[in-house]
Amino acid sequence: MSKKILCVIGTRPEAIKMAPVILALKQEPWANVRVLATAQHRHMLDQVNEFFGIDPDIDLNIMRPNQALTTLTARLLLELDDVLQAERPDAVLVQGDTTTVMTVALACFYHRIPIGHVEAGLRTWDMQNPFPEEANRVIAGKLARWHFAPTEGSRQNLLKEGVPDSEIIVTGNTVIDALLMTAAKDLELAVPLDPTKRLVLVTSHRRENFGEPFRSICRALHTLAENNAEVQFLYPVHPNPNVKDVAYEFLAGLPNFTLCEPLDYAPFIAAMKRAYLILTDSGGVQEEAPALGKPVLVLRDETERPEAVEQGVVKLVGPNYERIVEEAQRLLDDETAYKAMARGVSPYGDGQAAERIVKTLREHFA
Ligand code: UD1
Ligand code: UDP
């Protein structure tokens, strides 16, 4: 008898990182794969699903403009109750540390449905950074039955929290599966850029940076653009109004600074491949860029992804005006410093993570 596996996605990074798992599970004769989109994100989720050819079976269409965490959580829990009641899956898979993940884990716990947590065990050990994601993944980690840890470090984090070794499977991060599936294709950038100029690619959206820290990031970007007229900057802006309004206020109108809507996944990978340097607070970008040999300055004080920092290809600069300006300028001016960071390493995976996740479920269910 086939087993019903419900794969849940809410936001852009969940859709990207769950896609390889969904596609691999669909090849399994024993699995009846169902996809639930909470649609915590709307446009950014649809962009990714279209690219990977994933058509959700259920769509909660939950997103509201500038949604608050408490109401988002409450609305999700109510909707999930109905879905789990109707679907009665044998297992549910979630990915990462969003509000979708935390609420699905809780709802499944109440319905006594086992959860597989993809990208388990990432920790900063600081509940305020990243906020609210550290709490979301700790809660999901407490409730999960299978912990698909991307690295040995994340496995160690889970062991420290008392998760039984037998429930942890080190798989690599599925973000690298998705990246390898995509980077091999003929990619188009979709944004007009000057091929003779170096490109600095920027993304930023973290909630703990809202307000003054994000303004400080924008001021630093403004200074860098003014001081480096021969370099072009590209920033696909996250649609959260706390980000978008400030980014346009500080950065619109600079001749060498392009602000644009979020790029589709494949054009964004093309932009990363084209970039000289990447400034970001994104988790996924921190994982992808080292695999493409691109140095990253992380616009955060802490990271749950220390592996690339330890290898010297990613550096934390915080949302700190002086450090961002100084470190970015150094990488633009000093070729030796740049080359030391522009090494292709892939501490987060080998492209086989989805297969390892599916193997675990196959051995359990088939
Ligand atoms: C969420 C996740 C964060 C993840 C990020 C990836 C939580 C609490 N946060 O943050 O962990 O890193 O997604 O991008 O789960 N919006 C749109 N269109 C979209 C998507 C978002 O307009 O397609 C706007 C809406 O106004 C929405 C707002 O962005 O209310 C915030 O979305 P939300 O999912 O609550 O938080 P993010 O900041 O996107
Ligand atoms: N990404 C994208 N278009 C963009 C910016 C990012 O497709 O304009 C992809 C990127 O390749 C990565 C993922 O989105 O795989 C990261 O998502 P995000 O930064 O929103 O969330 P985080 O990883 O911080 O949770």
Side-chain angles (χ1 to χ4, degrees):
M1 213 181 74
S2 78
K3 297 289 175 185
K4 191 187 271 193
I5 313 292
L6 184 69
C7 299
V8 188
I9 51 180
T11 67
R12 169 172 67 191
E14 292 164 78
I16 293 167
K17 292 171 170 182
M18 192 66 98
V21 180
I22 294 170
L23 297 175
L25 263 179
K26 284 194 170 179
Q27 303 299 317
E28 296 291 301
W30 58 269
N32 170 15
V33 184
R34 302 272 291 165
V35 177
L36 164 63
T38 65
Q40 179 182 331
H41 285 175
R42 185 71 275 170
H43 177 58
M44 294 207 295
L45 187 78
D46 298 343
Q47 279 181 326
V48 178
N49 284 339
E50 195 179 317
F51 176 73
F52 285 103
I54 287 168
D55 188 11
D57 301 289
I58 311 153
D59 191 322
L60 301 182
N61 198 26
I62 210 90
M63 194 193 92
R64 296 291 176 271
N66 203 9
Q67 56 206 359
L69 294 174
T70 316
T71 45
L72 173 64
T73 300
R75 291 172 56 239
L76 274 169
L77 278 173
L78 288 175
E79 295 276 353
L80 289 166
D81 203 35
D82 291 343
V83 173
L84 295 178
Q85 198 80 43
E87 287 285 314
R88 300 187 173 279
D90 294 290
V92 171
L93 296 183
V94 291
Q95 193 289 329
D97 52 19
T98 65
T99 302
T100 290
V101 173
M102 185 269 289
T103 52
V104 171
L106 195 56
C108 286
F109 174 69
Y110 292 150
H111 284 262
R112 298 181 177 277
I113 299 166
I115 304 149
H117 187 202
V118 178
E119 197 183 78
L122 274 61
R123 296 289 183 272
T124 58
W125 309 105
D126 176 356
M127 282 293 178
Q128 304 306 320
N129 283 297
F131 173 91
E133 289 82 3
E134 180 78 359
N136 288 343
R137 56 199 178 212
V138 167
I139 293 167
K142 277 280 168 229
L143 301 176
R145 157 68 182 82
W146 298 277
H147 305 257
F148 299 112
T151 65
E152 179 55 30
S154 43
R155 174 174 168 267
Q156 290 300 331
N157 290 340
L158 291 164
L159 290 173
K160 233 184 270 177
E161 287 183 352
V163 175
D165 206 1
S166 59
E167 295 183 2
I168 308 172
I169 307 96
V170 177
T171 59
N173 197 309
T174 55
V175 77
I176 304 296
D177 301 30
L179 179 69
L180 296 182
M181 284 159 72
T182 309
K185 297 187 180 171
D186 214 3
L187 301 176
E188 266 193 51
L189 192 49
V191 184
L193 290 174
D194 182 341
T196 65
K197 288 186 171 172
R198 289 184 296 174
L199 172 69
V200 175
L201 179 66
V202 181
T203 81
S204 183
H205 70 274
R206 297 246 78 92
R207 278 176 188 261
E208 67 273 16
N209 283 346
F210 287 179
E212 191 42 39
F214 186 59
R215 301 176 94 78
S216 158
I217 290 171
C218 288
R219 272 194 288 272
L221 294 170
H222 190 282
T223 301
L224 282 165
E226 273 192 336
N227 292 350
N228 297 278
E230 75 299 349
V231 174
Q232 58 195 328
F233 293 74
L234 174 64
Y235 179 2
V237 184
H238 194 287
N240 191 315
N242 299 285
V243 172
K244 191 173 180 177
D245 297 352
V246 182
Y248 276 84
E249 179 194 329
F250 277 80
L251 300 164
L254 286 162
N256 55 338
F257 208 110
T258 305
L259 294 163
C260 65
E261 297 286 310
L263 293 175
D264 288 358
Y265 177 59
F268 186 75
I269 300 296
M272 278 201 289
K273 286 175 86 170
R274 169 72 175 74
Y276 187 75
L277 168 64
I278 300 175
L279 272 55
T280 190
D281 61 13
S282 159
V285 177
Q286 281 179 67
E287 293 155 344
E288 293 159 339
L292 297 170
K294 305 297 174 175
V296 177
L297 297 179
V298 177
L299 307 166
R300 296 172 50 188
D301 290 318
E302 294 177 88
T303 183
E304 58 292 277
R305 296 167 169 91
E307 292 84 354
V309 179
E310 283 154 15
Q311 296 207 18
V313 298
V314 168
K315 191 178 256 188
L316 297 182
V317 291
N320 178 306
Y321 174 89
E322 277 85 17
R323 286 213 68 202
I324 298 168
V325 172
E326 186 187 320
E327 294 288 349
Q329 197 62 53
R330 202 163 66 89
L331 290 173
L332 288 170
D333 294 343
D334 178 346
E335 211 178 319
T336 313
Y338 179 81
K339 280 193 175 144
M341 283 186 79
R343 291 179 288 111
V345 297
S346 190
Y348 300 108
D350 61 359
Q352 301 298 313
E355 191 41 54
R356 295 186 186 101
I357 291 165
V358 169
K359 179 169 178 271
T360 302
L361 297 174
R362 187 192 302 131
E363 283 168 2
H364 182 83
F365 283 118

